[in-house]
Amino acid sequence: MIYTCLTVDDEPLALEKISGFVEQLPQLKLEASFDNARDALSFLTSHPVDILFLDIQMDRLTGIELLAALPEKPQVILTTAYSEYALKGYELEVTDYILKPYSFERFARAANLAIKRLEEKTNSPSADFIFVKTDYRLVKIKLDDILYIEGMRDFRCIVTTSGKILTQQTFGSFEEQ
């Protein structure tokens, strides 16, 4: 499978380096490169990509601000010379954080991590049911059959198309499932 990517960096040499590295990885296709975050944000609103290679320190709009503005985040690999933003990057759930100057091997490791996460996301079976503990047994309930769930003090009442089920499971446990 081919994954689309975008590069954003205000340094022309850095953009050139990333573009060259992307060309060496057959599973990646470079959609576009931008030297500022504003143009990249405009592009991303109408052209979503799978992987975003993003610098942090840029004029007018930083990479962190760009990330915060994205409604749907791709796999993000921060490419920066500043290690002090690593914690903030991970708070924003970036895939990887590579410090400049970096080698092709380090770049490829980050790209492969993003690809692995994308593949896991597409290959994970989405469950269309949940298990609910009621009395002393587990009951399998199809999500499409649930009309609503009502809180009743220590109990939850799951109203389905075929009847009602009482459980002591919390709303949080339903959400996790």
Side-chain angles (χ1 to χ4, degrees):
M1 180 159 195
I2 303 295
Y3 297 97
T4 58
C5 58
L6 181 79
T7 61
V8 185
D9 200 310
D10 60 349
E11 297 175 34
L13 290 176
L15 281 177
E16 203 173 299
K17 180 179 184 178
I18 295 170
S19 297
F21 284 174
V22 167
E23 287 176 11
Q24 294 180 52
L25 296 171
Q27 58 272 58
L28 296 184
K29 178 184 178 231
L30 185 62
E31 288 290 313
S33 293
F34 293 96
D35 62 1
N36 68 78
R38 284 187 181 192
D39 291 345
L41 180 59
S42 176
F43 179 85
L44 285 168
T45 55
S46 57
H47 302 89
V49 295
D50 298 313
I51 303 171
L52 174 62
F53 296 98
L54 181 64
D55 187 21
I56 293 177
Q57 286 289 16
M58 292 180 279
D59 293 336
R60 296 185 288 166
L61 186 69
T62 68
I64 299 292
E65 292 167 334
L66 168 66
L67 273 180
L70 287 175
E72 287 291 319
K73 290 180 180 52
Q75 294 295 308
V76 178
I77 298 170
L78 292 175
T79 59
T80 184
Y82 301 95
S83 62
E84 62 266 21
Y85 295 104
L87 182 59
K88 183 66 176 171
Y90 285 107
E91 286 173 5
L92 291 167
E93 299 176 355
V94 301
T95 303
D96 208 343
Y97 192 100
I98 53 180
L99 288 173
K100 295 175 184 176
Y102 49 86
S103 64
F104 173 73
E105 289 76 22
R106 179 65 182 98
F107 178 87
R109 196 170 51 215
N112 286 329
L113 177 59
I115 290 167
K116 179 181 173 191
R117 286 188 178 180
L118 287 165
E119 288 173 348
E120 287 172 354
K121 199 178 199 180
T122 57
N123 292 337
S124 67
S126 58
D128 59 346
F129 59 88
I130 59 172
F131 284 103
V132 176
K133 185 176 179 182
T134 180
D135 296 326
Y136 297 102
R137 60 192 174 97
L138 285 176
V139 177
K140 183 178 177 179
I141 304 172
K142 288 186 178 182
L143 294 177
D144 290 338
D145 292 344
I146 298 174
L147 300 173
Y148 61 91
I149 303 173
E150 180 180 24
M152 302 168 55
R153 293 190 187 217
D154 294 339
F155 292 90
R156 263 32 83 228
C157 180
I158 304 167
V159 180
T160 68
T161 54
S162 60
K164 295 180 179 181
I165 300 167
L166 281 178
T167 182
Q168 286 187 311
Q169 281 183 237
T170 63
F171 281 113
S173 70
F174 290 136
E175 189 176 23
E176 283 178 27
Q177 287 189 61

